[in-house]
Amino acid sequence: MTLCPTAEDDQGVQAQLSAYCPIQKTQHNTLICCEYITLRGTSDALERITGVITELMLPTLPKYVWWKASPEMEYGLFQRLLSHADMIIVDSSIFNNPEQDLFQLAQLVNKPEAIADLNWSRLAPWQELTAEAFDPPERRSAVGEIDQISIDYEKGNHAQALMYLGWVASRLQWTPISYSYEPGVYEIHKIQFCAPNQRAIEAELAGLPLADTGQVLGDLISLKLGSTNTQAHCGTVLCSGTVGCMRMEAGGGAQNYRVQQVTALDDQNTEQLLGRQLQRWGRDALYDESMAIVLAILQLSQAG
């Protein structure tokens, strides 16, 4: 079912119904058919018929809502769909106000409905290489020495950077304790954490202005995990093929870091990510735990 809000005068809701029966080449006698229902009207008109929309849902089938906008907690239609859905799917790369919208999204994680963010899926290569960097026993034992983390992203949307930071912090049990923002060319966000052993961790997010950005705004460019303990074997640099590792290596000491390049995945097409998401069921515990840290960070931001 597709809801298409329009900006025209409120003239009620127009409905279009079509059926689709793809032929299975291996089983010509079996057809799995589905219906496409398209509803067009103003936001107010669609909100008036939310009862009809929910009545059209089949109770025996899982219900996914692909919300192609920022989460709007005060919008009645969004609230109604949220209450009837098994999973709400969003893409934080298109959020108009990334910080505020991500704050709203993080608050939904505690609700019974599962939340899925396609932008979170784009972090998988970065997460996998980060975990792989600490597979060797000598580096695994030094992971607790990490007390510096720098993340560069395409300026304009820092949702990916915040979610990656939330993921690292949740895995290492860091607690955010302060937040500061420095406006300017790079829009520096600084977050301080406290580790379980009371070690202080400094994190910095920097938005790099690029002349040639991809279709997905805010993709990670590079990151560095380091330590003030120069003897610790935890130094790690990851970078995309967009600008290489020059900025992260410019800080010095690169010879003591494990450097790896993240293979570009061509912005990981939204339709492909959505297709894979629809094959999953249930909550993503890693996402929920990471977003709990993101929520704590954004609460510090709003308090400041």
Side-chain angles (χ1 to χ4, degrees), residues 99 102-107 109-110 162 165-166 169-170 174-180 190-193 288-304:
E99 198 155 299
L102 208 60
F103 179 77
Q104 296 283 349
L105 185 65
Q107 290 180 308
V109 169
N110 294 325
L162 278 171
L165 181 59
S170 68
W174 296 345
T175 302
I177 57 176
S178 71
Y179 175 99
S180 64
K190 292 186 176 180
I191 303 98
Q192 186 178 58
F193 295 87
D288 289 355
E289 293 169 10
S290 302
M291 288 301 288
I293 298 293
V294 171
L295 178 60
I297 293 171
L298 295 178
Q299 287 173 332
L300 289 172
S301 170
Q302 295 191 355

Side-chain angles (χ1 to χ4, degrees), residues 14 18 21 46 191 197 242 249 264 277:
Q14 294 181 337
S18 58
C21 296
L46 291 174
I191 303 98
N197 61 1
T242 308
E249 293 178 341
Q277 185 62 58

Side-chain angles (χ1 to χ4, degrees), residues 55-246:
E55 284 298 321
L56 290 172
M57 296 179 180
L58 299 178
T60 56
L61 294 178
K63 303 169 189 66
Y64 295 86
V65 173
W66 169 212
W67 187 261
K68 299 176 68 174
S70 300
E72 300 181 39
M73 299 305 298
E74 303 303 320
Y75 186 21
L77 178 60
F78 180 80
Q79 286 284 4
R80 179 72 70 92
L81 293 176
L82 179 66
S83 65
H84 286 82
D86 296 301
M87 176 176 288
I88 297 287
I89 303 172
V90 299
D91 186 350
S92 58
S93 73
I94 64 171
F95 285 176
N96 295 322
N97 185 336
E99 198 155 299
Q100 182 60 37
D101 294 339
L102 208 60
F103 179 77
Q104 296 283 349
L105 185 65
Q107 290 180 308
L108 294 177
V109 169
N110 294 325
K111 291 186 174 292
E113 304 80 19
I115 306 296
D117 184 350
L118 301 185
N119 215 21
W120 165 262
S121 300
R122 297 186 178 101
L123 291 175
W126 298 87
Q127 294 167 325
E128 290 170 4
L129 282 180
T130 302
E132 180 184 304
F134 293 95
D135 278 345
E138 68 277 8
R139 289 180 60 85
R140 192 181 312 160
S141 61
V143 71
E145 296 292 327
I146 296 173
D147 57 16
Q148 296 174 332
I149 177 170
S150 300
I151 303 173
D152 289 348
Y153 62 93
E154 293 179 1
K155 185 177 179 179
N157 187 324
H158 55 302
Q160 276 191 32
L162 278 171
M163 288 191 291
Y164 177 88
L165 181 59
W167 173 72
V168 172
S170 68
R171 297 306 89 204
L172 299 180
Q173 299 182 318
W174 296 345
T175 302
I177 57 176
S178 71
Y179 175 99
S180 64
Y181 172 63
E182 299 176 7
V185 176
Y186 295 109
E187 299 182 349
I188 303 294
H189 302 262
K190 292 186 176 180
I191 303 98
Q192 186 178 58
F193 295 87
C194 182
N197 61 1
Q198 303 306 306
R199 190 184 189 91
I201 296 98
E202 301 288 340
E204 179 179 288
L205 313 182
L208 304 189
L210 301 179
D212 183 18
T213 59
Q215 295 179 357
V216 176
L217 185 62
D219 272 337
L220 294 193
I221 296 173
S222 55
L223 61 90
K224 178 191 287 186
L225 301 171
S227 175
T228 52
N229 177 4
T230 58
Q231 303 303 313
H233 297 289
C234 61
T236 302
V237 168
L238 302 180
C239 54
S240 70
T242 308
V243 295
C245 301
M246 293 178 61

